[in-house]
Amino acid sequence: MFETIPVEVGLIHEGERVRKNDLQVELGGPSEKEKFEIVRVRQPEEIEDGAIRIIGPDISGMEEGKHYPIGILVEIAGKKVEPDLEGVVERRIHEYSNYIEGFMHLNQRYDIWIRLSKKSFKKGLDSFRFIGQVMHELFRNELPIIEKIQISFITDPEKIKPLYEEALRTYEARDARARGLSDQDVDTFYGCALCQSFAPTHVCVITPQRYANCGAISWFDGRAAAGIDPKGPIYAIEKGECLDPDKGEYTGVNESARKRSMGEVSRIYLYSAFGYPHTSCGCFEGIAFYIPEVDGFGIVLRGFGALTVNGLAFSTMADSTAGGRQVEGFHGISIEYMRSKKFMHADGGYDRVVWMPHETRERLKEFIPEEVYEAIATEKDVATVAELKTFLQEHHHPVVQRWVAVPEPESGPVRQMTVISGADIPLTSGGFRIILKNARITAESVIIQPIRPPHPSGGEHSAEKKY
């Protein structure tokens, strides 16, 4: 099928990473503001089947090590192809691109990030035409309802701009359609395994009120995908009995997660970042991160390049959040989930959100309660957690009401503090490696006592410190 492609194509290459020292060119990503991939349904006479168009510089004309804007437009037609399938087919771009040796595709929609390795470039992968040929063959073979397909790669910044703006309007129209449905209105949820090549234990659960972490798959998209390809990467989940309506725990979701994660994940809270939070892949649009000093959450999206209020960058927290793990207090999310009435419902929703980038707050203005909006700090208001605490008090943020002083016992002040908290805490003892899952260890005091050889004078060291 791929005899004319100069590199290998297959599942074996899914999940490959192209590091910076092996980078031939980068397309999209955090360095480029305007990038997108989109699928549009057309009438058969509007497209030329098999056509691959390159608008702007091709890969061979790009300078080694540089980054460039990218737009990928896939136009499809067929008797059974409907506009409802656009988002479903669109997400397959990510999957099929990663079958190509040395061609790394991350994220989706307006966040795509592509890298081509030097090794594959030297083998001859020097044109988008090869990428288009792979996509064409896989789309036609995997989704036979597509009768005609035309693919365009746009790298000319002037041509990308209007198409980028049109793509944003299309994404918004799709998302708005799904907002009128609630979880109680349906008996079936959907799951997505497209990211398991990067995060083997990740189980993405899609409900009417919780979009996929990547922001690309709605409940309607899940229904359409499972309908046309029941054995594909997007599948139906019978939601079963609701065990906790606030946290969003369902027997069917738990059973599906157990099977799909090979037993690693047995419980999921759809609407809480604590206890058994939804797993995070690596393509999530943003992170909700817990700030213990104020008992609230910060939000940061992938495109935010500065440090957050806790002193960490998105990339740093993403490394700790991704991989299909359940990490309490670090929660991969989509922008559309932040528009849901169920957004972190069990944790207090926006009454618990204390910080986010200014641009993000503006983008979500109509979905944030009016009485909370101005009380949520941004990078323009505070730079440290100490400043954040003062800001929240001055603006009467609802989270301040949660700050209850710990009473001092008669024997003197004792402050209970969390010493260790994490998804997996490894301990080594007696030749065994013990891993504590979802551990949180608290202590009334911490004693740091170095182990040293006897003092030359015969006395003892006095180095014990108590906190």
Side-chain angles (χ1 to χ4, degrees):
M1 186 188 299
F2 302 113
E3 291 81 4
T4 60
I5 309 300
V7 296
E8 291 183 359
V9 179
L11 282 166
I12 191 173
H13 299 291
E14 194 177 16
E16 283 181 346
R17 289 288 198 232
V18 176
R19 304 299 179 186
K20 208 164 188 178
N21 60 357
D22 187 35
L23 174 66
Q24 179 63 32
V25 294
E26 184 173 82
L27 305 163
S31 301
E32 294 290 340
K33 182 180 179 181
E34 295 174 346
K35 65 269 185 181
F36 70 90
E37 61 187 14
I38 194 165
V39 169
R40 302 309 309 270
V41 172
R42 308 294 192 198
Q43 293 301 314
E45 62 273 13
E46 293 180 302
I47 59 178
E48 178 187 347
D49 187 36
I52 299 169
R53 304 189 301 169
I54 303 168
I55 303 169
D58 202 352
I59 295 173
S60 59
M62 295 178 173
E63 190 176 344
E64 181 181 328
K66 299 295 184 180
H67 55 81
Y68 296 86
I70 182 70
I72 302 176
L73 171 62
V74 178
E75 297 167 284
I76 59 175
K79 295 183 183 68
K80 298 182 179 180
V81 174
E82 300 177 356
D84 284 356
L85 295 175
E86 288 181 345
V88 176
V89 176
E90 199 168 276
R91 193 61 180 134
R92 294 290 182 100
I93 297 174
H94 168 79
E95 181 183 10
Y96 298 157
S97 295
N98 281 308
Y99 287 177
I100 304 171
E101 179 187 2
F103 193 78
M104 182 185 79
H105 181 292
L106 298 175
N107 311 333
Q108 67 299 307
R109 287 188 170 186
Y110 42 72
D111 264 343
I112 61 169
W113 187 359
I114 297 170
R115 282 182 169 180
L116 173 65
S117 72
K118 293 178 183 177
K119 182 179 178 181
S120 289
F121 180 78
K122 289 175 181 176
K123 284 186 174 182
L125 192 65
D126 58 1
S127 175
F128 288 113
R129 192 162 302 281
F130 297 124
I131 311 301
Q133 287 173 5
V134 171
M135 288 186 186
H136 180 272
E137 290 296 328
L138 289 173
F139 273 124
R140 291 295 297 272
N141 279 277
E142 298 290 325
L143 299 173
I145 62 170
I146 297 175
E147 298 172 11
K148 298 181 74 174
I149 181 168
Q150 175 176 290
I151 303 172
S152 301
F153 297 90
I154 307 100
T155 59
D156 182 339
E158 295 302 315
K159 298 293 176 61
I160 283 181
K161 188 174 180 62
L163 293 173
Y164 170 76
E165 293 171 351
E166 180 184 339
L168 292 183
R169 290 192 293 270
T170 302
Y171 302 143
E172 170 58 25
R174 288 184 199 159
D175 296 342
R177 176 172 175 254
R179 290 175 198 151
L181 204 60
S182 75
D183 291 354
Q184 287 69 42
D185 296 331
V186 303
D187 294 323
T188 305
F189 293 158
Y190 295 94
C192 179
L194 281 168
C195 287
Q196 283 197 331
S197 59
F198 297 96
T201 58
H202 175 54
V203 282
C204 198
V205 182
I206 304 158
T207 84
Q209 292 179 285
R210 186 188 172 98
Y211 246 64
N213 287 354
C214 65
I217 304 293
S218 70
W219 183 86
F220 286 106
D221 294 331
R223 184 178 66 174
I228 63 171
D229 188 9
K231 296 182 179 180
I234 299 176
Y235 50 91
I237 300 174
E238 291 300 322
K239 70 178 189 181
E241 180 188 352
C242 180
L243 301 176
D244 191 319
D246 291 325
K247 293 175 181 176
E249 183 179 14
Y250 295 84
T251 57
V253 171
N254 287 344
E255 180 59 28
S256 175
R258 191 178 295 111
K259 291 178 180 177
R260 292 280 176 167
S261 69
M262 298 169 288
E264 284 293 313
V265 178
S266 59
R267 294 181 70 182
I268 290 178
Y269 294 164
L270 296 175
Y271 304 117
S272 177
F274 298 118
Y276 301 93
H278 190 288
T279 59
S280 299
C281 49
C283 292
F284 41 76
E285 291 187 284
I287 299 171
F289 57 94
Y290 183 59
I291 307 172
E293 294 88 341
V294 296
D295 196 18
F297 282 88
I299 303 289
V300 61
L301 299 187
R302 187 176 295 277
F304 186 69
L307 296 179
T308 65
V309 71
N310 66 0
L312 300 176
F314 175 89
S315 57
T316 303
M317 285 190 281
D319 287 341
S320 300
T321 306
R325 294 168 291 173
Q326 290 178 298
V327 183
E328 283 200 82
F330 287 86
H331 203 34
I333 58 175
S334 67
I335 293 172
E336 192 58 28
Y337 173 45
M338 293 174 67
R339 296 179 174 125
S340 169
K341 292 180 180 179
K342 284 284 194 175
F343 173 58
M344 296 208 307
H345 182 70
D347 305 329
Y350 278 106
D351 281 357
R352 201 79 177 276
V353 175
V354 296
W355 183 93
M356 64 174 66
H358 178 78
E359 183 182 359
T360 304
R361 195 180 70 166
E362 287 295 304
R363 187 173 178 179
L364 294 165
K365 187 173 184 177
E366 65 177 292
F367 299 93
I368 300 174
E370 187 177 349
E371 62 274 16
V372 182
Y373 180 80
E374 293 293 344
I376 297 176
T378 75
E379 77 280 12
K380 295 185 177 183
D381 302 311
V382 301
T384 66
V385 171
E387 292 177 4
L388 173 63
K389 192 167 188 177
T390 301
F391 180 93
L392 298 174
Q393 290 172 317
E394 291 176 347
H395 288 75
H396 307 290
H397 193 292
V399 79
V400 175
Q401 298 173 18
R402 302 176 64 93
W403 302 349
V404 179
V406 178
E408 295 185 358
E410 294 180 4
S411 59
V414 176
R415 181 189 174 201
Q416 190 178 64
M417 56 190 290
T418 299
V419 182
I420 301 175
S421 179
D424 300 345
I425 300 175
L427 303 173
T428 303
S429 177
F432 292 91
R433 190 167 188 264
I434 304 167
I435 298 176
L436 305 181
K437 290 283 187 179
N438 295 315
R440 178 179 289 173
I441 302 172
T442 61
E444 291 185 350
S445 64
V446 179
I447 299 173
I448 301 174
Q449 189 175 44
I451 300 174
R452 296 178 177 173
H455 196 278
S457 65
E460 295 182 355
H461 294 283
S462 178
E464 181 178 295
K465 294 184 179 181
K466 186 173 181 178
Y467 297 88

